[in-house]
């Protein structure tokens, strides 16, 4: 899988689990990018694991109506507040 996670919106009403593990491409980049909040309104999403991707965003953007069924969340360190994020 490569590209923007926003392309998963076509499956919005059916996805319950999204786990993406990327391998760096020749130039060192991770091939999956975007903003994790693009998936925040998926009504059945229970697991979101984007740890080894170039996805960005901010955990502070999550409101009570986002990710209504989410039980597990794993985000890369470039997400503000994500796994491994270094607070200044």
């Amino acid at each position: 899988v490569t590209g923007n996670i926003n392309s998963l919106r076509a499956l919005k009403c059916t996805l319950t689990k999204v786990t993406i593990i990327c391998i760096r491409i020749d130039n060192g980049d991770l091939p999956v990018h975007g903003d994790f909040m693009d998936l925040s309104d998926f009504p059945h999403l229970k697991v979101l694991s984007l740890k080894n991707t170039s996805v960005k965003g901010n955990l502070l953007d999550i409101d009570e109506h986002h990710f209504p069924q989410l039980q597990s969340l794993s985000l890369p360190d470039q997400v503000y507040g994500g796994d491994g994020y270094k607070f200044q």
Side-chain angles (χ1 to χ4, degrees):
V1 174
T2 62
N4 195 310
I5 61 167
N6 192 30
S7 63
L8 294 175
R9 295 200 61 75
L11 303 170
K12 173 182 172 178
C13 292
T14 59
L15 286 177
T16 60
K17 180 178 181 180
V18 174
T19 300
I20 300 175
I21 301 170
C22 295
I23 297 173
R24 293 192 184 278
I25 54 179
D26 292 338
N27 65 4
D29 292 340
L30 292 168
V32 176
H33 58 276
D35 189 322
F36 80 98
M37 289 299 291
D38 288 342
L39 309 181
S40 67
D41 62 343
F42 282 38
H44 307 292
L45 190 61
K46 294 183 179 180
V47 176
L48 181 58
S49 179
L50 303 169
K51 181 108 173 92
N52 198 28
T53 67
S54 293
V55 172
K56 296 182 180 176
N58 186 333
L59 282 177
L60 298 177
D61 291 338
I62 297 176
D63 288 331
E64 59 196 40
H65 64 279
H66 292 130
F67 301 106
Q69 299 293 319
L70 199 65
Q71 298 171 0
S72 175
L73 179 64
S74 181
L75 297 169
D77 57 1
Q78 61 269 19
V79 170
Y80 183 86
D83 297 348
Y85 180 82
K86 304 287 188 230
F87 287 97
Q88 302 295 322

